[in-house]
């Protein structure tokens, strides 16, 4: 009696997420994953290289800033697409893509809020500088306040 034994290495959760991200977004570069994954670009590169070695991902090169700076572009092979599709539609993971979409929406909202708050901070700092200059022109002695005091 023979058993079918799967000799392929088990994928890490991050590698599975990378495959799903490629499934959703198509061809991508490392820089496009950096905001969505809490990992160093070298770690992501190693994960993607491992996925390429296992036949899930194909790596091509694209010129960036001239021939001296090629960038790797990652895309799914048919094996990678099948795996990502199975993971995304399986019963236990049926909401993976919805969850990724929701997380991306939340990230975009937070990034927009950060940009807004930075703009507001810059505007307030400019206003304070104008008030200090005005007060000094009127002869008032202004002490600069520091939050460390």
């Amino acid at each position: 009696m023979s058993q079918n034994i799967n000799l392929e290495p088990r994928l890490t959760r991050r590698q599975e997420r990378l495959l799903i991200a490629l499934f959703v977004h198509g061809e991508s570069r490392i820089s496009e994953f950096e905001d969505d994954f809490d990992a160093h670009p070298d770690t992501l590169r190693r994960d993607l290289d491992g996925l390429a070695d296992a036949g899930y991902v194909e790596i091509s090169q694209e010129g960036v800033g001239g021939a001296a700076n090629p960038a790797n572009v990652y895309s799914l092979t048919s094996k990678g697409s099948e795996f990502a599709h199975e993971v995304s539609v399986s019963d236990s993971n049926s909401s993976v893509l919805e969850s990724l979409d929701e997380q991306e929406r939340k990230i975009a909202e937070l990034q927009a809020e950060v940009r807004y708050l930075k703009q507001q901070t810059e505007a307030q700092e400019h206003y304070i500088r104008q008030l200090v200059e005005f007060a000094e022109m009127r002869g008032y002695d202004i002490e600069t306040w520091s939050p460390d005091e």
Side-chain angles (χ1 to χ4, degrees):
M1 170 158 67
S2 86
Q3 291 181 322
N4 289 339
I5 299 174
N6 185 358
L7 298 177
E8 290 198 34
R10 172 105 170 96
L11 298 180
T12 66
R13 172 170 256 132
R14 186 174 50 240
Q15 286 175 320
E16 289 179 357
R17 287 182 57 220
L18 283 165
L19 288 174
I20 293 169
L22 283 169
F23 185 72
V24 171
H25 299 291
E27 285 187 345
S28 300
R29 289 165 210 74
I30 292 289
S31 60
E32 296 170 36
F33 294 121
E34 290 175 6
D35 291 338
D36 298 331
F37 290 85
D38 186 25
H40 191 274
D42 290 339
T43 302
L44 296 174
R45 189 173 293 106
R46 279 191 298 273
D47 282 346
L48 288 162
D49 288 344
L51 290 169
D53 292 342
Y56 292 101
V57 172
E58 182 175 86
I59 304 172
S60 59
Q61 290 196 337
E62 173 180 270
V64 175
N69 297 318
N72 287 343
V73 178
Y74 301 89
S75 59
L76 291 177
T77 61
S78 58
K79 179 180 177 180
S81 292
E82 289 172 17
F83 180 87
H85 180 71
E86 286 175 21
V87 168
S88 67
V89 297
S90 69
D91 289 341
S92 62
N93 295 312
S94 63
S95 63
V96 169
L97 291 176
E98 292 173 12
S99 177
L100 283 174
D101 290 341
E102 180 63 24
Q103 293 300 319
E104 287 176 357
R105 279 192 292 277
K106 287 179 181 178
I107 288 169
E109 289 173 6
L110 289 172
Q111 288 172 335
E113 187 174 345
V114 166
R115 283 191 300 273
Y116 172 77
L117 291 172
K118 283 181 180 178
Q119 290 171 345
Q120 292 300 311
T121 300
E122 289 170 4
Q124 289 174 354
E125 288 171 351
H126 178 72
Y127 179 69
I128 290 169
R129 282 191 301 273
Q130 287 180 325
L131 285 174
V132 168
E133 288 174 12
F134 177 77
E136 288 174 346
M137 284 183 354
R138 299 278 185 197
Y140 294 105
D141 186 24
I142 302 295
E143 286 185 36
T144 305
W145 176 81
S146 171
D148 297 333
E149 294 177 1

